[in-house]
Amino acid sequence: MSQALNRDYQVLEEIGRGRFGVVYRCSPVTNSGDFFAVKSIDKRLISAGDSLDAQCLFSEPKILRFLSPHPHIINLHDLYEDDDYLHMVLDLCDAPDLHSRVTRRVYSEPEAASVMAQLMQAVAQCHRLGVAHRDIKPDNILFDERNRLRLADFGSAETFKDRGEPMSGIVRTPYYVAPEVLAGREYCEKVDVWSAGVVLYIMLAGFPPFYGESVVEIFEAVLRANLRFPSRVFHSVSPAAKDLLRRMLCKDVSRRFSAEQVLRHPWITSGRGQDERLI
């Protein structure tokens, strides 16, 4: 551990582990009643691997500092670096993440609307400030001690200057990646809306909208983007929810909703998912 980190924080038990590092609970030495998480990344593991991972290592703290503070984005409080490690002191979110929650049960529409409203507030703030997250998935949707959603893991994030400015590069997780990314085309920040639409579908259905038995089959299904609502699952889901899903999971990027349009949709604003005007 960094001497500077140990001077300012008491590092406690391990609470998570990833490919390049470990997450610990920590507490400021001046106030043992407050708790944070410290993400300690072993730079030696990254330098021996992909240059893209090295780029992510150094871009994430900069982007988090730019976005902070926001009630639904993980906040970076302190940053320490030595020859071997990078230590990021972040908000502590030790409640089960969305991935853990959706594997246990299907969400009701009011529950899903509440989660989606918080998520899209975070995404809209990112887009307003010219940041595309590019890896929205349940694993990166955390909850703090007040059960407030926090969007995390900005290692794949990219900055842009203007709305709709093109980006490129394959980014991350098969089920959640937008079709224009897989097609190898330039894309814009609306890839985050597509990914959030997949998250919403999973909350309501318990399974992803585009799936297959292998990564190749999943990619093929995403590229087809044939959105369906099986009656055995969606018979009780409101027309308003289905309408929003169609607008978020729209293959035509020009017609796909922006994050702010999602926030203005009646299913979100009602908080109940029961707006009958869309029947």
Side-chain angles (χ1 to χ4, degrees), residues 190-212:
K190 285 187 180 182
V191 295
D192 288 342
V193 177
W194 176 279
S195 300
V198 175
V199 171
L200 175 55
Y201 190 104
I202 290 173
M203 283 194 289
L204 294 173
F207 53 83
F210 313 109
Y211 55 90

Side-chain angles (χ1 to χ4, degrees), residues 136-255:
I136 291 175
K137 57 185 178 181
D139 316 57
N140 293 335
I141 299 170
L142 311 182
F143 296 89
D144 62 21
E145 60 183 5
R146 296 163 53 189
N147 206 36
R148 182 171 55 180
L149 182 148
R150 298 298 189 96
L151 180 59
D153 197 345
F154 283 77
S156 298
E158 182 66 87
T159 57
F160 59 91
K161 293 180 181 178
D162 302 305
R163 294 289 176 92
E165 181 182 357
M167 291 171 271
S168 61
I170 291 288
V171 177
R172 306 301 180 188
T173 313
Y175 286 119
Y176 305 93
V177 66
E180 62 267 26
V181 179
L182 291 179
R185 301 196 303 269
E186 291 183 328
Y187 54 85
C188 69
E189 72 277 4
K190 285 187 180 182
V191 295
D192 288 342
V193 177
W194 176 279
S195 300
V198 175
V199 171
L200 175 55
Y201 190 104
I202 290 173
M203 283 194 289
L204 294 173
F207 53 83
F210 313 109
Y211 55 90
E213 296 299 322
S214 66
V215 172
V216 171
E217 288 184 4
I218 295 168
F219 284 168
E220 289 174 347
V222 171
L223 283 167
R224 288 193 299 270
N226 184 14
L227 182 62
R228 296 179 177 178
F229 301 112
S231 59
R232 62 183 174 81
V233 175
F234 281 90
H235 66 279
S236 61
V237 174
S238 70
K242 296 173 187 175
D243 179 81
L244 179 57
L245 283 166
R246 290 189 189 97
R247 295 174 188 273
M248 297 177 74
L249 296 172
C250 179
K251 189 175 182 179
D252 183 346
V253 180
S254 67
R255 294 173 54 237

Side-chain angles (χ1 to χ4, degrees), residues 67 69-70 73 120-131 259:
L67 295 174
H70 188 275
I73 297 174
M120 297 314 294
Q121 286 173 41
V123 173
Q125 175 69 357
C126 291
H127 292 179
R128 280 192 291 268
L129 295 176
V131 174

Side-chain angles (χ1 to χ4, degrees), residues 20-187:
F20 296 119
V22 182
V23 181
Y24 301 92
R25 186 191 303 268
C26 68
S27 178
V29 295
T30 55
N31 185 353
S32 59
D34 291 335
F35 293 96
F36 299 90
V38 57
K39 183 178 180 179
S40 297
I41 300 169
D42 189 336
K43 296 192 294 185
R44 295 166 296 184
L45 296 176
I46 295 177
S47 62
D50 195 324
S51 60
L52 179 61
D53 290 322
Q55 178 183 336
C56 294
L57 168 68
F58 296 107
S59 66
E60 183 176 19
K62 293 178 182 177
I63 287 173
L64 285 176
R65 283 207 186 280
F66 183 58
L67 295 174
S68 298
H70 188 275
H72 297 302
I73 297 174
I74 200 85
N75 291 310
L76 177 66
H77 296 274
D78 279 307
L79 183 67
Y80 302 89
E81 185 175 5
D82 55 35
D83 291 339
D84 297 327
Y85 283 90
L86 182 74
H87 306 283
M88 291 188 286
V89 179
L90 306 161
D91 293 323
L92 178 64
C93 295
D94 55 357
D97 62 23
L98 188 61
H99 179 266
S100 301
R101 299 180 185 206
V102 295
T103 55
R104 293 199 300 262
R105 66 181 181 87
V106 172
Y107 273 49
S108 70
E109 289 192 48
E111 290 172 325
S114 174
V115 170
M116 193 53 45
Q118 294 176 74
L119 174 59
M120 297 314 294
Q121 286 173 41
V123 173
Q125 175 69 357
C126 291
H127 292 179
R128 280 192 291 268
L129 295 176
V131 174
H133 185 281
R134 303 201 306 172
D135 195 22
I136 291 175
K137 57 185 178 181
D139 316 57
N140 293 335
I141 299 170
L142 311 182
F143 296 89
D144 62 21
E145 60 183 5
R146 296 163 53 189
N147 206 36
R148 182 171 55 180
L149 182 148
R150 298 298 189 96
L151 180 59
D153 197 345
F154 283 77
S156 298
E158 182 66 87
T159 57
F160 59 91
K161 293 180 181 178
D162 302 305
R163 294 289 176 92
E165 181 182 357
M167 291 171 271
S168 61
I170 291 288
V171 177
R172 306 301 180 188
T173 313
Y175 286 119
Y176 305 93
V177 66
E180 62 267 26
V181 179
L182 291 179
R185 301 196 303 269
E186 291 183 328
Y187 54 85

